[in-house]
Amino acid sequence: MTSSPNANTAPDTSSSPGATPASAIARPVEARHIVKRFGDLEVLRDVSLQVDEGSVTSIIGASGSGKSTLLRCLNLLERPVQGELTIADEAILFDRNRQGDIIGLDRRQLQRLRARVSMVFQQFNLWPHFTVLGNITEAPMRVQKLSRKHAIRRADHYLERVGMADKRDSYPAFLSGGQQQRVAIARALAMEPRVLLFDEPTSALDPERVSEVLSVIRSLADEGRTMVMVTHEMAFAREVSDQVVFLDQGVVGVAGTPQEVFDNSPNERCRRFVSPAA
Amino acid sequence: MEFSWLSDPFYQSYLLEGFINTLLLVIVSAAGGLALAITLALARLKGPRPLAWCIHGFTTVMRGTPLLVQLFFFYYGVGRLLEGIPGIQESLIWPVLRDPFFYGALTFILSVGAYSGEVIRGALISVPPGEREAGRAFGMSPTQVFFRLWLPRAIQLCLPTLTGEMILLLKSIPLVSTIAMMDLLQAANIIRDEMFLVYEPLMLIAGIYLAMTVVLTLVLRQVEQRFPGMRPTRGRRLIPGRA
């Protein structure tokens, strides 16, 4: 699929995703010293991550390295135990106990921030009782309080963008995995978020469906959208990323440009992970 | 066969009253019972532990004792206790508390709440958690996630079972004839006594119940078909005629 020249121009650009941040140092995502534990299991041990406006960051690593957990911390589907998080120029206000451990957060801020950081899931997680159109208008109408008319206009725009306009009145169960994932991407785009998060967007797809989803993601990268992606598609990560982060047992093994991570990483485990044959 | 009583306006009014009472009692019990069932199911899944235990106990008792015993318990037991409260017979709610309809509705609401609560709880559990997570990830509030995403999907999953529960409720209604409420069975019994008939009035109300069940089933089937998105596992294309 090719992206049309005006693909980035939504009919209603109240907050364009490529807008310049108010402050020069502000970043769409800045995570510092994130620690996450599930019971006794320490999944993330002091992970820091910076994402620049308009850049694509890929998080790679073995199963259990904490990739998905890190991504899920970025929209607080998982609440870190320690650390600081700035999302869309706003520092998250955590409630902490006397040891400095995070024990809670402000619900209203949470809902506000989540509306600016949209997520695409491995299992798509479309809502089966809504049509494709209903899936896409739901959050803009309920969370951003858009009028139905406005939300439908937006939904149609982004459905067109992912090449699913002809399926707008279908129910998710009637679509292939690749089609469902493209609808899920349109659903994320319809929030007009500052940051798009992708959690292994192609891992649940049949091999022949992977490319249709990757080409949509590639075209979004070409538009200059800020994206953070957990992926096992190494060639794709290398091709589209500005920054690659190799997570290893809950810490950042290497972070840098694709060349730095894939070609001549100083980290032995990273070298073995990206080219196991060598 | 003796059906001459059908044209007697006196008996017609009994039957009409019985029919209206039966219908009202079904509607009130179904609405109240399902609301209670949803509340109980949610509280048992998400509420604090002690509350969940209490609901578990309530459900066990309601499902483990005969409906007729419960009806007698509320009407004769609780009803008589209330009677003894000083001043209550002069209060404005006394006409309600004196009415067998109140005790019938109370019993059926609690019963439907217990049975359907378990059905709905099971359905809530079987909605894939990712669907709720997607709602949260887009900034929907817990209330929005519950009423827009979680509950509709659960109802969709258990609607055929709930239809069965509602039919059982409908057919439990004649029990209230034992607490002096004028329902269809009570009307039929009066006619049987006064006309010295055994079968004919019973055949009539059996026919009316059958008709009501058919109507209820048709209505609920319409509701089921309002959910065309209900298909097997996601990610699998549905081949028409080969579900």
Side-chain angles (χ1 to χ4, degrees):
Chain A
M1 195 190 67
T2 55
S3 63
S4 61
N6 61 347
N8 199 15
T9 329
D12 44 66
T13 43
S14 48
S15 62
S16 148
T20 335
S23 148
I25 50 155
R27 286 197 173 86
V29 174
E30 181 143 18
R32 283 177 300 274
H33 309 299
I34 297 293
V35 175
K36 174 66 186 176
R37 278 189 289 268
F38 293 108
D40 288 335
L41 182 69
E42 196 157 64
V43 182
L44 296 177
R45 303 177 289 163
D46 195 356
V47 173
S48 296
L49 176 72
Q50 290 184 350
V51 174
D52 290 326
E53 193 76 48
S55 74
V56 178
T57 300
S58 291
I59 304 173
I60 62 171
S63 297
S65 59
K67 311 180 294 290
S68 286
T69 306
L70 175 60
L71 193 77
R72 291 162 59 84
C73 281
L74 298 184
N75 72 349
L76 292 157
L77 279 178
E78 301 292 351
R79 194 171 69 202
V81 178
Q82 279 166 29
E84 286 163 55
L85 206 51
T86 303
I87 303 291
D89 308 328
E90 218 178 301
I92 313 278
L93 306 166
F94 290 115
D95 302 328
R96 293 169 198 269
N97 66 11
R98 249 174 283 163
Q99 285 81 47
D101 285 358
I102 294 164
I103 50 169
L105 38 79
D106 178 25
R107 267 211 174 280
R108 309 212 17 212
Q109 184 189 34
L110 178 68
Q111 282 165 24
R112 186 170 68 235
L113 288 179
R114 279 178 174 167
R116 295 188 208 155
V117 183
S118 292
M119 184 122 166
V120 175
F121 297 88
Q122 181 178 356
Q123 298 291 343
F124 334 131
N125 293 349
L126 294 178
W127 299 307
H129 57 307
F130 296 145
T131 61
V132 162
L133 189 70
N135 266 278
I136 299 175
T137 54
E138 180 67 12
M141 280 169 61
R142 305 281 155 184
V143 178
Q144 297 177 332
K145 309 292 180 200
L146 253 57
S147 70
R148 173 176 295 275
K149 213 176 123 194
H150 195 161
I152 289 177
R153 197 144 33 97
R154 228 193 234 190
D156 281 332
H157 172 80
Y158 287 110
L159 276 174
E160 188 75 42
R161 179 71 188 75
V162 301
M164 290 295 295
D166 57 326
K167 297 285 186 191
R168 81 199 276 272
D169 298 317
S170 303
Y171 283 86
F174 293 87
L175 305 178
S176 73
Q179 290 174 323
Q180 291 193 48
Q181 193 61 298
R182 285 191 279 154
V183 170
I185 293 172
R187 176 173 72 171
L189 289 171
M191 294 298 281
E192 314 220 307
R194 272 295 290 285
V195 186
L196 274 169
L197 306 178
F198 291 88
D199 188 4
E200 300 194 29
T202 57
S203 295
L205 298 177
D206 297 336
E208 68 264 34
R209 300 287 182 185
V210 168
S211 64
E212 68 182 66
V213 171
L214 290 187
S215 72
V216 169
I217 299 175
R218 184 182 296 117
S219 71
L220 295 174
D222 293 342
E223 282 177 6
R225 287 181 187 270
T226 310
M227 311 201 286
V228 183
M229 170 169 67
V230 170
T231 186
H232 288 295
E233 300 282 337
M234 293 303 151
F236 182 70
R238 181 187 192 123
E239 178 197 339
V240 301
S241 307
D242 300 294
Q243 176 184 220
V244 178
V245 176
F246 171 71
L247 272 192
D248 183 30
Q249 297 175 345
V251 294
V252 175
V254 194
T257 64
Q259 289 72 34
E260 284 166 348
V261 174
F262 285 111
D263 294 338
N264 37 24
S265 164
N267 183 306
E268 154 90 43
R269 296 174 66 94
C270 178
R271 275 203 307 277
R272 260 190 293 160
F273 180 77
V274 296
S275 52
Chain B
M1 288 283 158
E2 161 68 51
F3 279 101
S4 62
W5 43 273
L6 270 174
S7 51
D8 185 329
F10 193 62
Y11 293 143
Q12 281 172 357
S13 73
Y14 274 153
L15 287 167
L16 185 66
E17 190 190 343
F19 177 73
I20 289 171
N21 278 338
T22 299
L23 204 60
L24 270 179
L25 194 51
V26 168
I27 292 168
V28 169
S29 307
L34 289 178
L36 178 67
I38 292 167
T39 314
L40 293 182
L42 184 64
R44 224 185 132 181
L45 287 176
K46 290 282 172 182
R49 278 280 172 77
L51 181 64
W53 290 333
C54 290
I55 294 169
H56 184 59
F58 167 81
T59 305
T60 307
V61 170
M62 291 307 288
R63 298 205 303 179
T65 54
L67 191 52
L68 185 59
V69 173
Q70 294 165 10
L71 193 63
F72 282 6
F73 177 82
F74 286 115
Y75 184 64
Y76 296 113
V78 178
R80 290 293 174 276
L81 274 179
L82 288 175
E83 217 173 54
I85 297 172
I88 200 166
Q89 301 208 22
E90 286 75 46
S91 75
L92 284 174
I93 52 163
W94 183 243
V96 175
L97 296 180
R98 202 181 49 189
D99 191 343
F101 186 95
F102 169 78
Y103 295 96
L106 178 68
T107 311
F108 290 131
I109 285 172
L110 294 179
S111 175
V112 170
Y115 280 98
S116 301
E118 285 300 280
V119 172
I120 291 171
R121 184 173 71 95
L124 285 172
I125 291 171
S126 45
V127 175
E131 294 175 21
R132 276 184 282 152
E133 188 165 74
R136 280 191 285 134
F138 285 102
M140 291 172 79
S141 69
T143 317
Q144 286 173 329
V145 169
F146 183 71
F147 284 106
R148 294 289 303 169
L149 308 179
W150 200 12
L151 184 62
R153 281 280 285 140
I155 300 285
Q156 181 185 46
L157 290 173
C158 67
L159 204 54
T161 317
L162 286 183
T163 304
E165 294 289 327
M166 292 306 104
I167 290 171
L168 286 177
L169 166 69
L170 173 66
K171 292 187 300 182
S172 308
I173 301 293
L175 291 176
V176 296
S177 65
T178 60
I179 57 168
M181 190 177 137
M182 179 61 84
D183 79 319
L184 274 174
L185 181 61
Q186 182 79 336
N189 282 340
I190 290 171
I191 298 168
R192 290 171 71 211
D193 287 348
E194 294 186 1
M195 298 290 296
F196 305 107
L197 291 170
V198 180
Y199 303 111
E200 289 87 341
L202 290 179
M203 285 166 64
L204 175 75
I205 64 156
I208 295 175
Y209 266 103
L210 186 61
M212 286 170 80
T213 306
V214 169
V215 170
L216 185 67
T217 311
L218 288 177
V219 167
L220 289 173
R221 189 172 299 160
Q222 283 300 310
V223 177
E224 272 175 52
Q225 281 168 358
R226 292 282 304 274
F227 289 109
M230 182 63 181
R231 285 298 178 274
T233 24
R234 67 201 141 174
R236 192 173 305 164
R237 186 195 291 275
L238 181 95
I239 300 148
R242 192 145 61 91

